[in-house]
Amino acid sequence: MSPSSAAPDTLPIITIAPYLPTLAANHSDTDRAATAKALHEACRDIGFLYLNVDGFVSPDEMQNALDLAREFFHRPQEEKDDILLTKADGARGYQRLRQNVTMGKADHHEGLDMYAPSPFPDTPENAKRHLGGANQYPVNPPALKPLLEDWIVKMKTLGKAVMHGMCDGLGMDEKEWQDMWAINNDSFWSMRLIGYPALPDGQDGISCGEHKDYGCLTFLHADDCPGALQVLSKSGAWLNADMVRGCFVVNIGAMWERWTGGLYPATLHRVVHRSPTYRVSIPFFFEPNFDAPIDLLPAAKRKTAAEGRKIEEPEGKLKYGDYLLSKVTSNFKYDDDEA
Ligand SMILES: N=C(N)NCCCC[C@H](N)C(=O)O
Ligand SMILES: O=C(O)CCC(=O)C(=O)O
Ligand SMILES: [Fe+2]
């Protein structure tokens, strides 16, 4: 089977099986090389792709995740407010409709954010500091928390597989891959459940404003609502990234853009959900370690030169956690939380 084929809306479909520990035995080195090459081309040319996860995440699991997340959003407002992000560290927890802000504008969605365990020492002061607290999981529906816990384990495995495929695709040797993995092996992952009511009639609003994701890789699973998720192509046109059965939508975050000096762009995307259904999405963000330094990769320099492209030297020094904190502290409107 060819590892990459055209999807109706032009994002490639790539199978990750050759890089997954439980499925790799059925695949040859040629399959692995083909996946690595397809990842390289997709990351370079659009920064978005469909990842086929057949045999790793079952269709039932995928449907169940959306159904349980939807049940949570349909619980009474007071119950959701019990886990507002202001009740923890201002970052972990539930956000009301329009509490998220992108480019100065309220987003027409509600959400629940979770992160890897606190990167700071466990003191009472740190528990109130952004990202220093503990996750707040919904009590209802009871099956949601265990499902999310399983999901996190699986997405971390998927993250390692795609990172390895990308590093091969970039032409890293084994030592370079080991060094790269050493700054990603304790991923400061995050996960959101997002609920999108339809945009109010006639409103020229936006469900989630255009943005780049922050870290390495996003694994997005969502209800199939044609036209809702849109991706900015290099030609300047917004492409629809509609869901494909058995696949995650995967995109590159800002850290990959910096690691590769722009060879792998973190592509702008947005959500405009106009149809009357309530749309649910579950992005999982596979990120570098909290204190990972993000510097230009020699492999990216070689590859960029080999392909006759121009490199953008990243400015200054950057650690992933500092970048994330700068985003988290400006993402929410807190003033009406306790109204
Ligand atoms: N971790 C990620 N990517 N979350 C996406 C948040 C949507 C954009 C955000 N309000 C912003 O302005 O960045
Ligand atoms: O809901 C979606 O389809 C995308 C959400 C998104 O881009 C994000 O949370 O970063
Ligand atoms: Fe995003």
Side-chain angles (χ1 to χ4, degrees):
M1 189 185 87
S2 155
S4 163
S5 52
D9 47 11
T10 78
L11 301 188
I13 299 180
I14 300 176
T15 179
I16 193 61
Y19 277 94
L20 282 168
T22 49
L23 300 173
N26 305 328
H27 293 272
S28 63
D29 287 353
T30 315
D31 294 342
R32 237 171 118 87
T35 289
K37 179 168 182 283
L39 283 169
H40 167 64
E41 290 169 357
C43 293
R44 181 194 63 194
D45 297 340
I46 177 134
F48 262 81
L49 56 100
Y50 293 110
L51 196 73
N52 182 312
V53 294
D54 244 0
F56 183 65
V57 188
S58 73
D60 274 2
E61 249 174 307
M62 291 190 82
Q63 193 54 51
N64 210 12
L66 296 174
D67 291 345
L68 292 173
R70 190 180 343 272
E71 254 187 77
F72 165 68
F73 286 119
H74 290 168
R75 300 294 300 172
Q77 188 65 49
E78 311 80 74
E79 192 179 310
K80 293 185 281 186
D81 287 351
D82 281 344
I83 57 169
L84 274 172
L85 29 78
T86 41
K87 306 213 161 155
D89 57 6
R92 299 168 193 261
Y94 171 73
Q95 310 114 49
R96 289 180 183 165
L97 189 64
R98 304 181 66 77
Q99 194 180 350
N100 272 271
V101 178
T102 304
M103 295 193 308
K105 285 206 172 134
D107 292 316
H108 201 75
H109 67 245
E110 52 184 331
L112 173 64
D113 288 8
M114 289 144 277
Y115 292 88
S118 166
F120 308 124
D122 185 13
T123 63
E125 305 80 68
N126 281 346
K128 278 281 164 191
R129 163 176 175 195
H130 281 299
L131 301 176
N135 288 329
Q136 307 189 83
Y137 286 96
V139 174
N140 288 311
L144 181 54
K145 184 178 181 199
L147 177 133
L148 294 174
E149 286 169 338
D150 287 349
W151 198 263
I152 292 162
V153 173
K154 284 205 153 168
M155 294 305 108
K156 282 165 55 175
T157 301
L158 201 55
K160 183 175 185 184
V162 178
M163 290 297 282
H164 200 170
M166 286 178 69
C167 289
D168 284 350
L170 202 54
M172 284 191 188
D173 62 27
E174 182 56 25
K175 161 86 170 57
E176 287 177 311
W177 156 244
Q178 291 301 339
D179 290 349
M180 181 65 162
W181 187 240
I183 57 167
N184 292 280
N185 59 5
D186 186 22
S187 168
F188 196 75
W189 58 266
S190 96
M191 178 167 62
R192 307 189 68 202
L193 308 184
I194 313 178
Y196 297 94
L199 282 165
D201 243 16
Q203 186 179 315
D204 181 27
I206 209 113
S207 310
C208 181
E210 67 183 76
H211 64 278
K212 294 178 175 185
D213 289 344
Y214 311 148
C216 292
L217 297 168
T218 304
F219 298 119
L220 176 76
H221 177 41
D223 285 329
D224 185 17
C225 298
L229 174 62
Q230 304 174 3
V231 174
L232 192 63
S233 72
K234 284 193 175 163
S235 69
W238 287 99
L239 302 178
N240 292 337
D242 297 341
M243 295 301 135
V244 170
R245 233 185 124 66
C247 293
F248 283 84
V249 173
V250 176
N251 62 285
I252 302 304
M255 297 305 105
W256 263 114
E257 181 169 323
R258 194 178 151 95
W259 271 325
T260 59
L263 182 64
Y264 293 173
T267 302
L268 286 166
H269 53 284
R270 66 181 185 189
V271 178
V272 186
H273 179 51
R274 295 199 186 282
S275 65
T277 56
Y278 186 95
R279 178 178 186 266
V280 170
S281 78
I282 309 180
F284 183 92
F285 304 100
F286 182 85
E287 311 297 62
N289 299 356
F290 194 78
D291 58 3
I294 314 294
D295 301 318
L296 184 63
L297 300 166
K301 242 178 153 155
R302 295 195 302 269
K303 191 78 168 175
T304 306
E307 296 192 347
R309 292 167 187 258
K310 224 174 108 262
I311 202 113
E312 297 156 21
E313 290 280 344
E315 280 173 33
K317 286 273 157 209
L318 183 75
K319 287 196 173 190
Y320 174 67
D322 295 334
Y323 183 77
L324 177 64
L325 276 169
S326 75
K327 292 290 180 181
V328 165
T329 47
S330 59
N331 254 344
F332 306 112
K333 194 157 50 82
Y334 294 106
D335 42 0
D336 58 356
D337 288 355
E338 307 289 356

